[in-house]
Amino acid sequence: MEQIIIHVDMDAFFASVEIRDNPSLKGKPLIIGSLPNERGVVSTCSYEARPYGIHSGMNIKEAYRLCPQGIYMHPNIEKYAAVSKQLHEIWYSYASAAEAIALDEAYLEVTQKAQDLAGAREIAHLIKKRTKNELGLTCSVGVGYSKTSAKTASEEKKPDGYFEIPDREAFVNLIIDRDVRVLYTVGNMTAEKLYSHGIHTVRDLREHQQTVINLLGKQGVWLTQLALGNDSRKVIPYNPEEAKSISREVTFQKDVNDFDYLKDVILLLACCVRHRAQRIGLHGMGVNLKITYADMKNITRSAALTGNDSPTAVRDKAVELLNGIEVKPVRLIGVGINRLSKDGEIQLSFDDVINGNGNGDEERLTALLTELGGKYGLDFEGHLEEIYRMDTLHKTIEYMRKHKGANP
């Protein structure tokens, strides 16, 4: 094999962590995401919930209709991130390069360490054993000659499975008569386009390559190569310093008409994205604003930052962008900074502000947060770090919405 790649994928990760920490949940349909009376979707669910038709990305109200007896929980992202770090420490110890795809899955380059398929098989089973013994969780592991084959292999025997696809012939023989959605990047919309042209299986795709290319362009070229078993992509370690943009968004539980309230939310989102950028030593040269209206129409606006990228500067630019859009009920708002680089003036944290180490930007941030706290009966001084946590941010913004009566 020219390269040997392992793909590790945790089994129902969020749900499995909750079941591990609370054994009384074992054997029950557990749905992690929004609660049934909230807006939102299913993040993941236990395998016991899946026979009811529950799946990731499903509207939470549809999930409740299908499984009203299920146990519904909000995700604890901080806890899952801590477990993910432990997982990665185990997995990465066997790889010469590792590429995390999410908290619960990664590609591992093991060509040199494994040397052959037998060596890769041994590593895969060691990963499964240590993940179970040390963290009390199961994972599915696939070994392949490419990233696509390794990921396909890890899906083959879920949950707690192992499978290997040693070469192109084995890959093609496995998927040739399967639905086109088995191929990487084929989602529901792409699949529907292919179906409309009589292309339902990988075999159909191989027999109508030019039609696929004409229909999908570059993606079509990519899919025709995958259908032939060709994928030369390398495992590329993720470096947070290479991020092009950083954003944070929130979905409101009820549509919001009050744009003054949205400006208050923007301040907190600006603090969050600047904090994330600061943690990895990056500075932004532009700001993004994302809005989803109640009718599900999405708009994005962007503008350059003319000075620094302090939270107040990001907030001001995002508010300026908000002032330029149509005022009608809003379902979601997001703020981001883009054109990131290591260049730029170092900004002080909020703790620096409180300790008196700031300049005009920090003083203004303190004033804005004090005003915001007074308006909603909240104390941000000394507690802003808590807002950086996604669950606390969402709860705070929802409290603010209800307190102000931002919805009619």
Side-chain angles (χ1 to χ4, degrees), residues 28-187:
K28 299 176 181 177
L30 175 63
I31 297 96
I32 306 292
S34 300
L35 300 184
N37 63 338
E38 298 175 341
R39 279 180 170 172
V41 298
V42 176
S43 294
T44 191
C45 63
S46 66
Y47 284 93
E48 289 79 6
R50 300 185 185 191
Y52 295 93
I54 312 297
H55 59 79
S56 298
M58 172 179 282
N59 184 285
I60 199 67
K61 288 181 171 53
E62 174 64 10
Y64 185 72
R65 185 187 69 80
L66 294 172
C67 186
Q69 70 272 41
I71 299 172
Y72 292 80
M73 295 176 59
H74 285 135
N76 186 336
I77 299 300
E78 284 69 31
K79 177 166 71 171
Y80 308 147
V83 176
S84 175
K85 183 178 179 181
Q86 294 174 303
L87 290 169
H88 291 170
E89 288 175 355
I90 295 173
W91 303 348
Y92 293 3
S93 67
Y94 296 100
S96 57
E99 181 179 347
I101 305 303
L103 290 176
D104 62 336
E105 65 174 303
Y107 291 106
L108 310 177
E109 165 60 66
V110 298
T111 308
Q112 294 180 349
K113 293 195 174 187
Q115 295 190 335
D116 56 24
L117 186 59
R121 187 180 304 130
E122 181 178 354
I123 289 174
H125 285 294
L126 281 171
I127 286 173
K128 286 176 61 64
K129 182 178 180 180
R130 287 189 60 191
T131 299
K132 178 65 174 178
N133 291 346
E134 297 178 26
L135 298 179
L137 299 168
T138 64
C139 60
S140 294
V141 181
V143 173
Y145 66 92
S146 66
K147 293 174 79 170
T148 297
S149 63
K151 183 169 177 61
T152 302
S154 71
E155 294 286 340
E156 195 65 19
K157 299 293 183 179
K158 270 187 165 292
D160 196 18
Y162 171 79
F163 197 76
E164 55 192 49
I165 302 176
D167 52 41
R168 290 175 179 80
E169 182 180 3
F171 176 72
V172 172
N173 288 341
L174 180 70
I175 68 167
I176 187 72
D177 290 315
R178 293 187 180 180
D179 188 279
V180 289
R181 285 177 295 185
V182 73
L183 296 176
Y184 180 65
T185 76
V186 178

Side-chain angles (χ1 to χ4, degrees), residues 16 110 163 174 241 265 272 297 369 390 406:
S16 295
V110 298
F163 197 76
L174 180 70
E241 295 180 359
V265 173
C272 289
K297 177 183 178 182
L369 290 169
M390 188 176 299

